[in-house]
Amino acid sequence: MIKIIKVGGNIIDNPTKLKSFLKDFALLDGQKILIHGGGKLATDLCVTLGIESKMVDGKRITDSETLKVVTMVYAGLINKDIVAKLQAFGCNAIGLSGADMNIIPAKKRVDTKIDWGFVGDITPNTLKAEKFEFFLQTQITPIFSAITHDGEGNLLNTNADTIASVIASTLANAGHKVSLVYTFEKKGVLVDVNDNSTIIKKITFGSFNELKEKKIVHSGMIPKLENAFKSIAEGVQEVKICMAEDLHDFENAGTTISLH
Amino acid sequence: MIKIIKVGGNIIDNPTKLKSFLKDFALLDGQKILIHGGGKLATDLCVTLGIESKMVDGKRITDSETLKVVTMVYAGLINKDIVAKLQAFGCNAIGLSGADMNIIPAKKRVDTKIDWGFVGDITPNTLKAEKFEFFLQTQITPIFSAITHDGEGNLLNTNADTIASVIASTLANAGHKVSLVYTFEKKGVLVDVNDNSTIIKKITFGSFNELKEKKIVHSGMIPKLENAFKSIAEGVQEVKICMAEDLHDFENAGTTISLH
């Protein structure tokens, strides 16, 4: 089972939590891949440099100056810091963007209403599983920043959750058993967002529609779950949503997403 | 013959020159590796962020804030921009720091007189040639930023010329034929630094000592040539110092360094 783990901004922004998370990640058995977001570091650097952060529906518009910042912060500062720390924990990590080895080719988003700038969209059929094989076979652990490219010389900013799900689907399609784990700041999907004891241990495709109708799940959780179901439909064995601090026991922790 | 090319700041700082250089690099036949410096971008960003650049004998003292900047600029912005551009030119590049795959382990510099901060020193016997074999055999082209690590979780700033020479020696020691090419802003080593027609086509170990005594070569060129002779002594077939714009014809261009 290949473990594909997404870690979000709340951990990246906290050096102590990040170190602890990376220690747990290094200890996970077998083949694994980490995808990281950027946290507040990129926004903070934009503020310092006087670059206005333009958001639409919580999504960042990436003009050329913002692209430079996210490339520096995601693919440089955060990615290499994670790699160096994992090496110290005995995990033979390699930091990658989608441009490296052309491993995640993307398409610049075309939207007739909004110019998203340098934002890249990806789909499973644009990725080639064989590009991952060398790393999987030699137990080298790829660490992906959320930067891709268009094959025409432009880097692109791509949603880290989407990268995780597309890598998972690609490897599942190629015959691998894949477990996809989204870590975040809560114990899992919660009925009461402020009460970790209200965790929903399992969500099926049927119960998801119910949860949406009753507005128990909303906003940021909906695309996360939609991605999860897409991955399951595309052959991923299991999708987990759990607290980053529970990574060492992710099999038993969090919310499990399955078709039935 | 593996071509190991170092490109310096004057090209990195100029988007038009960089694009042209990368096009030439992409067209070079066979196995190749690129090592890039940082140019003025890191210094400029330090100024913007109010981080004082402390230099001793033209070498940068890398405190923790400066390390963050060079990691962002070298391993993020410049490295990934080069990789994306090379992919567009049909060269299957992968951007690496020394922490990735632990491919360039370094030691934090210990100097009783000056605290250099996060500066890493490397020697040929700390590198393992087999870590390069996958890339060489599959014609994936490694692009190295001048960032290494100490194996204890810390990234380190390392001289790009030294990285180039140490990689060259390591691969030569492993039985590869290696050509090491330092590109810079002049046609080669010049008698009159302002006159490209005064190029010295060949420097032997004997003539180097003469050139030093007569102060025809001085300052930044001396460590460059010393590194070149070290590489030759360590089994590198040939070392070239030439203008970046002559890369397409580097075999005939520039200054050739050899033992005799």
Side-chain angles (χ1 to χ4, degrees):
Chain A
M1 188 84 95
I2 303 168
K3 300 169 184 82
I4 299 178
I5 321 280
K6 155 78 200 304
V7 61
N10 67 312
I11 299 295
I12 303 289
D13 289 335
N14 183 322
T16 310
K17 282 189 178 180
L18 179 59
K19 199 172 173 184
S20 166
F21 176 85
L22 293 175
K23 197 173 181 180
D24 289 343
F25 179 80
L27 287 170
L28 291 178
D29 279 340
Q31 299 168 329
K32 54 200 173 189
I33 294 172
L34 183 67
I35 297 96
H36 63 85
K40 292 184 197 117
L41 284 163
T43 310
D44 290 351
L45 187 56
C46 279
V47 170
T48 308
L49 297 175
I51 300 164
E52 200 189 338
S53 285
K54 292 168 211 137
M55 310 288 279
V56 176
D57 296 335
K59 289 175 193 164
R60 192 190 293 275
I61 291 182
T62 309
D63 62 15
S64 64
E65 288 305 302
T66 305
L67 179 69
K68 284 182 190 173
V69 170
V70 297
T71 303
M72 289 198 289
V73 172
Y74 299 173
L77 188 62
I78 296 173
N79 190 265
K80 298 312 165 193
D81 180 51
I82 288 176
V83 169
K85 286 197 168 65
L86 285 174
Q87 289 289 350
F89 288 131
C91 172
N92 194 10
I94 184 170
L96 298 170
S97 75
D100 298 302
M101 291 171 64
N102 189 28
I103 198 162
I104 310 177
K107 280 194 194 310
K108 194 165 180 283
R109 185 173 298 168
V110 177
D111 184 329
T112 51
K113 285 177 199 157
I114 296 160
D115 179 5
W116 291 97
F118 294 95
V119 167
D121 290 320
I122 56 171
T123 53
N125 46 19
T126 58
L127 267 64
K128 293 200 177 77
E130 62 261 35
K131 298 222 172 193
F132 294 81
E133 291 298 341
F134 163 70
F135 302 116
L136 294 171
Q137 282 165 23
T138 53
Q139 299 256 335
I140 293 167
T141 300
I143 313 300
F144 282 95
S145 63
I147 301 291
T148 62
H149 78 139
D150 67 358
E152 290 164 24
N154 301 302
L155 295 165
L156 298 169
N157 188 10
T158 295
N159 182 277
D161 282 4
T162 309
I163 291 180
S165 73
V166 166
I167 291 175
S169 303
T170 301
L171 295 177
N173 281 335
H176 290 285
K177 291 196 173 183
V178 175
S179 175
L180 174 58
V181 184
Y182 293 102
T183 68
F184 77 140
E185 69 276 17
K186 304 283 179 186
K187 279 280 177 189
V189 182
L190 305 177
V191 176
D192 175 356
V193 77
N194 295 313
D195 183 353
N196 271 322
S197 73
T198 63
I199 182 169
I200 305 165
K201 289 296 285 176
K202 191 175 176 179
I203 300 178
T204 64
F205 194 67
S207 71
F208 176 46
N209 286 325
E210 228 180 276
L211 291 164
K212 269 197 295 189
E213 275 166 29
K214 291 179 180 165
K215 302 203 172 163
I216 292 169
V217 299
H218 49 86
S219 57
M221 189 51 73
I222 290 176
K224 217 180 256 294
L225 287 171
E226 279 171 349
N227 270 338
F229 281 110
K230 230 166 100 180
S231 301
I232 295 283
E234 284 161 1
V236 172
Q237 304 282 304
E238 60 166 25
V239 180
K240 280 276 185 181
I241 297 184
C242 71
M243 195 175 237
E245 287 83 344
D246 291 335
L247 181 67
H248 63 283
D249 187 36
F250 77 91
E251 309 264 3
N252 301 309
T255 300
T256 303
I257 289 99
S258 63
L259 261 190
H260 306 290
Chain B
M1 185 84 94
I2 304 168
K3 299 169 185 82
I4 299 178
I5 320 279
K6 154 77 200 305
V7 61
N10 67 311
I11 298 296
I12 303 290
D13 289 336
N14 184 321
T16 310
K17 282 190 178 180
L18 179 60
K19 200 172 172 184
S20 168
F21 175 86
L22 294 175
K23 197 173 181 180
D24 289 340
F25 179 80
L27 286 171
L28 292 178
D29 278 341
Q31 299 168 328
K32 56 201 172 187
I33 294 171
L34 184 67
I35 296 96
H36 63 83
K40 293 186 197 113
L41 284 163
T43 309
D44 290 353
L45 187 55
C46 279
V47 170
T48 308
L49 296 176
I51 300 165
E52 199 190 336
S53 286
K54 291 168 212 137
M55 309 290 275
V56 177
D57 297 336
K59 290 176 191 163
R60 192 188 293 276
I61 291 182
T62 309
D63 62 16
S64 64
E65 287 306 302
T66 305
L67 179 70
K68 283 183 189 172
V69 171
V70 296
T71 303
M72 289 198 290
V73 172
Y74 299 173
L77 188 61
I78 296 173
N79 191 265
K80 297 313 167 194
D81 180 51
I82 288 176
V83 169
K85 287 198 167 64
L86 285 174
Q87 290 289 348
F89 288 130
C91 171
N92 193 9
I94 183 169
L96 297 170
S97 74
D100 297 303
M101 291 171 63
N102 189 26
I103 197 164
I104 309 177
K107 280 195 193 310
K108 194 163 181 282
R109 185 173 298 167
V110 177
D111 183 330
T112 49
K113 286 177 198 156
I114 297 160
D115 179 6
W116 291 97
F118 293 95
V119 167
D121 291 319
I122 56 171
T123 53
N125 46 18
T126 58
L127 267 65
K128 292 199 178 78
E130 61 259 35
K131 299 223 172 192
F132 295 80
E133 291 298 341
F134 164 71
F135 302 116
L136 294 171
Q137 282 165 20
T138 53
Q139 299 255 339
I140 293 168
T141 299
I143 312 298
F144 283 94
S145 64
I147 301 291
T148 61
H149 78 138
D150 66 358
E152 289 164 27
N154 301 302
L155 295 164
L156 298 170
N157 188 9
T158 296
N159 181 278
D161 282 3
T162 309
I163 291 179
S165 73
V166 166
I167 292 175
S169 304
T170 300
L171 295 177
N173 281 334
H176 291 286
K177 290 195 173 185
V178 175
S179 175
L180 174 57
V181 183
Y182 293 102
T183 69
F184 76 140
E185 68 276 17
K186 305 285 178 185
K187 278 280 176 189
V189 182
L190 305 177
V191 176
D192 175 357
V193 76
N194 295 312
D195 183 352
N196 270 322
S197 73
T198 63
I199 182 171
I200 305 166
K201 291 295 285 176
K202 190 175 176 179
I203 300 179
T204 63
F205 195 68
S207 71
F208 175 46
N209 286 325
E210 228 179 277
L211 291 165
K212 270 197 293 188
E213 274 165 30
K214 291 178 180 165
K215 301 203 170 161
I216 292 169
V217 299
H218 49 87
S219 58
M221 190 51 73
I222 290 176
K224 217 181 255 297
L225 287 171
E226 279 171 350
N227 270 337
F229 281 110
K230 230 166 101 179
S231 302
I232 296 282
E234 283 160 3
V236 173
Q237 304 281 304
E238 59 166 27
V239 180
K240 280 276 186 181
I241 297 185
C242 71
M243 194 175 237
E245 286 84 344
D246 292 334
L247 182 67
H248 63 283
D249 187 34
F250 78 90
E251 309 264 4
N252 300 310
T255 300
T256 304
I257 289 99
S258 63
L259 260 191
H260 306 290

